[in-house]
Amino acid sequence: MKVVAMAVLALAGAAQASVTFNDTVGDVFDSGLTNMDIRSVTMSNDAANLYITLQINANLAATNWGKYLIMIDRNGNASGRGDNPWGRNINTNGRLNDVYIGSWIDQEPDSFAQIWSDNGSNWNLDSTVGVDRSMTAIGEIKYTLSLASLGVGLGDTFYFDVMSTGGVGNPPGVDHLSRSTQATGGWGETSVAGDYLAYTVVPTPGTLALLGLGVVAAGRRRR
Ligand SMILES: [Ca+2]
Ligand SMILES: [Ca+2]
C-alpha cells in the first residue's frame, strides 16, 4: 500500500511541473527595446485553466506600452488562419492559427487580453480577460486562460508562438519566441515566425490521484 501511495505522489508531482521555453536575450533589432525582448515563456495547467507567464527583459512597470501576443495552432494546420485580427505585420511562416490572444499592459488599474478564434471565415472576438500585472516590475506578465476558451482539453497537444509588438500602425512581432534570432529588421519590416513550440495539456494531479486510488481499489478487489 505504501508503494502505491508513493507512486501517486510521484505522478502528482510530475503533473504539477511547469514547462519553460527559453528565448535568446538581445534578439531584437534595437538594443534599447528591452521591453520587447522575451526571455522565456512558462506554461502549466490544471483541469480548468492554462497558466502562462511571460518573462520579459525589462521593468514593465516603468515601460509599459508593449503589446504581447500568443498565437495557437490547435491541430497542426488542419484549420485556422495565417493573418491576425490586430493586423500586425506578421508572417506565420505557413502556420494556421485557431486562436489569437492579444494583450496590453498599459491600462491602469487593469490590463486585458482579448481571446479571438477562427470561426471558419474570419476572426471572432470571443472574450476579454484580465492580465495579472502584479510582477511586472521584474518583467513578468501572467495570464490565466480557461482551457474551454482556447478549445483545448486534457491530453491535447497544441502549437504556439509568443510575440511582442507595438501599438501604433501595424508593427511586426518585434521578438518571436519561435526564433532565437531577430524576427524582423525594424518597425517597418514584416516579422517571420520560426518553428512553433508545442505544449501538451497534462492531466491534473487530482485526476492522477484518483487513478491511483482506482488502482488501490482494484488491488483490494482482487484479493
Ligand atoms: Ca528574446
Ligand atoms: Ca526570439
Side-chain angles (χ1 to χ4, degrees):
M1 192 64 69
K2 193 177 285 182
V3 172
V4 173
M6 285 174 64
V8 170
L9 285 174
L11 283 168
Q16 284 173 313
S18 59
V19 182
T20 296
F21 305 87
N22 291 309
D23 188 44
T24 309
V25 174
D27 58 340
V28 291
F29 61 82
D30 178 340
S31 61
L33 292 172
T34 52
N35 67 322
M36 295 280 95
D37 189 1
I38 300 166
R39 296 179 66 104
S40 66
V41 174
T42 299
M43 289 190 179
S44 64
N45 71 275
D46 58 23
N49 298 310
L50 178 70
Y51 303 95
I52 304 175
T53 300
L54 273 53
Q55 178 67 60
I56 308 297
N57 194 34
N59 177 341
L60 297 174
T63 307
N64 65 3
W65 51 260
K67 308 294 178 283
Y68 302 88
L69 317 178
I70 302 162
M71 295 186 183
I72 293 177
D73 167 22
R74 281 197 297 247
N75 50 27
N77 283 350
S79 63
R81 301 181 63 85
D83 62 356
N84 66 85
W86 282 10
R88 291 302 190 269
N89 192 4
I90 291 169
N91 178 339
T92 63
N93 204 4
R95 277 286 176 180
L96 300 178
N97 296 301
D98 302 282
V99 179
Y100 170 95
I101 297 150
S103 70
W104 56 97
I105 61 164
D106 52 354
Q107 185 169 322
E108 299 287 358
D110 300 312
S111 294
F112 295 95
Q114 293 180 341
I115 302 175
W116 297 73
S117 67
D118 170 28
N119 67 11
S121 58
N122 211 332
W123 289 107
N124 185 68
L125 177 56
D126 296 334
S127 59
T128 301
V129 298
V131 173
D132 180 353
R133 300 174 65 248
S134 62
M135 302 294 278
T136 48
I138 60 168
E140 287 187 2
I141 310 169
K142 294 172 178 288
Y143 306 82
T144 298
L145 306 170
S146 76
L147 297 176
S149 73
L150 305 178
V152 297
L154 301 180
D156 289 351
T157 296
F158 63 81
Y159 307 92
F160 69 98
D161 195 3
V162 177
M163 288 131 281
S164 58
T165 187
V168 178
N170 61 336
V174 175
D175 192 3
H176 282 238
L177 179 67
S178 65
R179 290 190 62 169
S180 59
T181 54
Q182 281 184 27
T184 179
W187 286 113
E189 288 184 26
T190 304
S191 64
V192 181
D195 292 332
Y196 271 35
L197 295 309
Y199 180 80
T200 298
V201 184
V202 294
T204 66
T207 305
L208 287 167
L210 285 173
L211 286 171
L213 288 171
V215 169
V216 173
R220 277 178 175 163
R221 276 199 294 274
R222 274 198 290 275
R223 273 196 287 275

